[in-house]
Amino acid sequence: MKVNKFGGASVKNAEGIKNISHIIKDFNEHTIVVVSAIGKTTNLLESITRAFYNEDDAKWDLFNTLKENHLSIINFLFEGKTPFITNDIENILLELECFLDRENKTESYDFYYDQIVPFGEILASRILAHYLNFVQVKSHWVDSRNFIVTDDYHREARIDWDSTCKVVKNQLRKLANKSTVVMQGFISRSHKGTNTTLGREGSDYTAAILAHCLDSKSVTIWKDVDGVMNADPKRFDEVEKIDKISFNEAIELAYYGATIIHPKTIQPLKAKKIPLFVKSFINPKNPGTQVLESEKCIQIPCIIVKDNQCLINIKSKDLSFIAENHLQNIFSIFSKHKLRMHVMQNSAISFTCCTDRIPERVSNLVSELKELFEVELIDDVYINSIYNYQISDKYKMASNPLLKQFNETVYHEVLAK
Ligand code: ASP
Ligand code: MG
């Protein structure tokens, strides 16, 4: 059983959906198809959630945009010939509309996020499953929330592996043996029965979880690029495709911010040595990149840019050393505010790191840190990381980075926007 994951860019419009239906048809075997929300739908749903939570009537305009986007895609795909499909999609939209009508809010923002944002994946997967059947590719739509079981850490839920593997093996396998199964990435359900999500861009992770539980032969992630490149082609000229990457290298690159594969995706595959392919949905015949269990594979420098960061400098108020007890406090405050640290550095009296620029979380974090420390925040910076730096002759270090750090193979520099 193979798992194929198609991201938002591959289903961004009706043409995209048609294109991937050809790819799926060419598989000539049943597979599990994991799909994300159409194009930028998740961003739109995030805006809807914010408006809903702030009781802002803008939610209705945003909702109407979402509705029109989806209805126009189905009109194009089915040319109005299948009223039951239109009815099905309208019904899902109605469910969201009714939810948005609620006034009484007793739960956290993150809780509501997880009830609203999954609609993007539900809509995309339903449209794709209908279309596959329409073009005679027998497919079965299932709701991933019945299979991916998590705790209730909203927006970044953690997998309950035992429960997930049990239900995937017992229930999903049966269906997947009979026909192609279309399901959603990114969305899950907690033990308490409420929706959860696995973190932005989490659909790759869903594909890896399913493959792990099913002992799949492989996972393929279909992208709009030919595979993993040594730098982002949108930012750098002369990029090179990498044919093979070891699991360990992929974990490292994802950790530094390479966005091509979601960071959590590799572990579940590595544990069972399930190869991962990254291929182009534009040129599906091209071989792409293979990620596999191996010694070091990458022999060229790779440049990874991590955008949307803040740089935070923390000093003790009494100039005492930043020692274990301070570090313990700092780490637990970051964890409480669900913020990760990137490129950490400490000296005798200060600790500096970058963190993701999520305004409401960062401002809460800084207020809490300020109760204990002197805190300086530099908003909007980015990190350049150069992997295999020692063999890089092209990349020149910036003359005045806000922070720089070397380790054996990687050089990081933090730069102001
Ligand atoms: N639709 C979700 C997002 O955009 C999940 C994904 O694309 O993987 O973050
Ligand atoms: Mg997406």
Side-chain angles (χ1 to χ4, degrees):
M1 181 67 48
K2 293 180 182 164
V3 179
N4 284 280
K5 180 257 166 176
F6 293 93
S10 69
V11 290
K12 68 172 190 254
N13 52 29
E15 285 308 327
I17 294 171
K18 284 187 179 174
N19 176 48
I20 70 168
S21 78
H22 293 131
I23 296 177
I24 296 168
K25 203 171 204 167
D26 282 349
F27 292 152
N28 283 325
E29 61 180 328
H30 300 324
T31 66
I32 294 185
V33 172
V34 173
V35 69
S36 316
I38 285 172
K40 301 272 177 245
T41 303
T42 304
N43 293 352
L44 183 57
L45 280 158
E46 284 189 342
S47 307
I48 294 178
T49 309
R50 188 163 308 281
F52 164 80
Y53 196 71
N54 296 335
E55 279 161 31
D56 178 350
D57 273 340
K59 67 185 176 188
W60 296 123
D61 283 342
L62 296 166
F63 170 77
N64 285 330
T65 306
L66 178 101
K67 185 171 175 173
E68 278 159 27
N69 290 349
H70 286 84
L71 291 181
S72 77
I73 288 179
I74 58 170
N75 282 339
F76 195 87
L77 285 176
F78 306 103
E79 295 155 9
K81 286 184 213 140
T82 48
F84 72 95
I85 295 177
T86 312
N87 183 230
D88 182 47
I89 301 303
E90 278 177 347
N91 234 337
I92 298 168
L93 289 161
L94 180 64
E95 192 182 329
L96 172 59
E97 195 168 5
C98 293
F99 191 94
L100 296 179
D101 221 5
R102 289 188 193 188
E103 266 152 24
N104 198 5
K105 293 180 197 65
T106 49
E107 302 284 348
S108 68
Y109 178 79
D110 288 353
F111 172 89
Y112 288 113
Y113 179 104
D114 278 355
Q115 314 316 305
I116 294 171
V117 175
F119 277 95
E121 267 63 22
I122 296 293
L123 287 162
S125 58
R126 274 288 246 277
I127 294 174
L128 176 63
H130 282 309
Y131 188 71
L132 288 174
N133 287 318
F134 185 71
V135 294
Q136 319 301 327
V137 180
K138 191 174 165 221
S139 77
H140 198 104
W141 180 89
V142 301
D143 190 330
S144 295
R145 292 169 295 190
N146 293 324
F147 300 100
I148 309 290
V149 187
T150 68
D151 64 5
D152 60 357
Y153 195 69
H154 287 289
R155 292 179 72 177
E156 195 89 36
R158 290 164 292 212
I159 304 298
D160 174 337
W161 284 97
D162 289 343
S163 311
T164 301
C165 275
K166 184 166 174 276
V167 71
V168 167
K169 272 190 185 141
N170 291 348
Q171 306 301 330
L172 187 64
R173 191 194 293 278
K174 277 192 270 179
L175 293 170
N177 281 336
K178 279 191 255 160
S179 70
T180 285
V181 168
V182 177
M183 54 200 295
Q184 314 73 40
F186 173 62
I187 70 173
S188 43
R189 186 174 285 148
S190 79
H191 287 292
K192 293 184 187 154
T194 53
N195 286 352
T196 50
T197 54
L198 304 178
R200 284 300 307 261
E201 309 301 330
S203 297
D204 294 358
Y205 186 35
T206 306
I209 296 164
L210 296 170
H212 177 98
C213 297
L214 290 167
D215 293 301
S216 290
K217 260 197 238 149
S218 67
V219 172
T220 305
I221 297 178
W222 296 87
K223 292 271 184 187
D224 56 0
V225 286
D226 264 332
V228 178
M229 306 288 169
N230 74 328
D232 181 350
K234 292 185 197 108
R235 289 176 190 256
F236 296 90
D237 310 324
E238 294 181 43
V239 299
E240 277 177 60
K241 188 185 79 117
I242 307 169
D243 297 333
K244 283 200 165 92
I245 305 184
S246 73
F247 283 126
N248 288 354
E249 288 168 324
I251 290 173
E252 247 189 300
L253 294 182
Y255 178 75
Y256 301 135
T259 51
I260 189 113
I261 306 166
H262 187 272
K264 289 184 189 160
T265 308
I266 306 297
Q267 280 301 357
L269 300 178
K270 178 178 162 63
K272 295 216 172 161
K273 298 191 171 53
I274 299 170
L276 170 70
F277 296 90
V278 179
K279 293 186 60 149
S280 159
F281 59 78
I282 304 162
N283 301 306
K285 297 269 180 284
N286 288 1
T289 296
Q290 188 180 4
V291 187
L292 71 173
E293 186 61 52
S294 156
E295 298 293 306
K296 187 172 168 54
C297 299
I298 307 178
Q299 303 300 345
I300 53 174
C302 301
I303 307 174
I304 302 136
V305 182
K306 201 176 182 82
D307 268 323
N308 260 322
Q309 297 290 301
C310 302
L311 184 69
I312 300 186
N313 179 262
I314 302 164
K315 286 197 178 77
S316 56
K317 285 192 173 167
D318 54 2
L319 292 187
S320 61
F321 292 149
I322 292 280
E324 293 76 6
N325 58 335
H326 289 317
L327 289 173
Q328 195 177 5
N329 285 333
I330 294 170
F331 278 81
S332 67
I333 296 172
F334 270 79
S335 152
K336 177 174 162 197
H337 294 282
K338 301 185 181 175
L339 283 165
R340 294 219 175 85
M341 295 172 172
H342 312 291
V343 192
M344 291 171 248
Q345 197 154 292
N346 72 316
S347 68
I349 53 160
S350 82
F351 176 87
T352 309
C353 69
C354 286
T355 194
D356 298 322
R357 192 167 170 252
I358 306 173
E360 68 273 25
R361 291 195 199 169
V362 171
S363 83
N364 293 338
L365 170 95
V366 170
S367 325
E368 189 162 346
L369 285 170
K370 278 189 172 161
E371 289 169 19
L372 302 172
F373 305 99
E374 301 281 342
V375 182
E376 195 196 338
L377 170 79
I378 304 182
D379 194 22
D380 210 1
V381 302
Y382 64 99
I383 308 168
N384 266 344
S385 300
I386 298 110
Y387 182 76
N388 281 342
Y389 181 70
Q390 68 282 29
I391 55 171
S392 165
D393 51 358
K394 280 197 202 117
Y395 188 81
K396 298 281 165 287
M397 291 153 47
S399 54
N400 230 346
L402 297 165
L403 187 146
K404 62 180 169 195
Q405 192 176 82
F406 283 99
N407 71 23
E408 260 171 72
T409 46
V410 192
Y411 167 66
H412 304 285
E413 56 190 12
V414 178
L415 301 161
K417 267 264 154 169

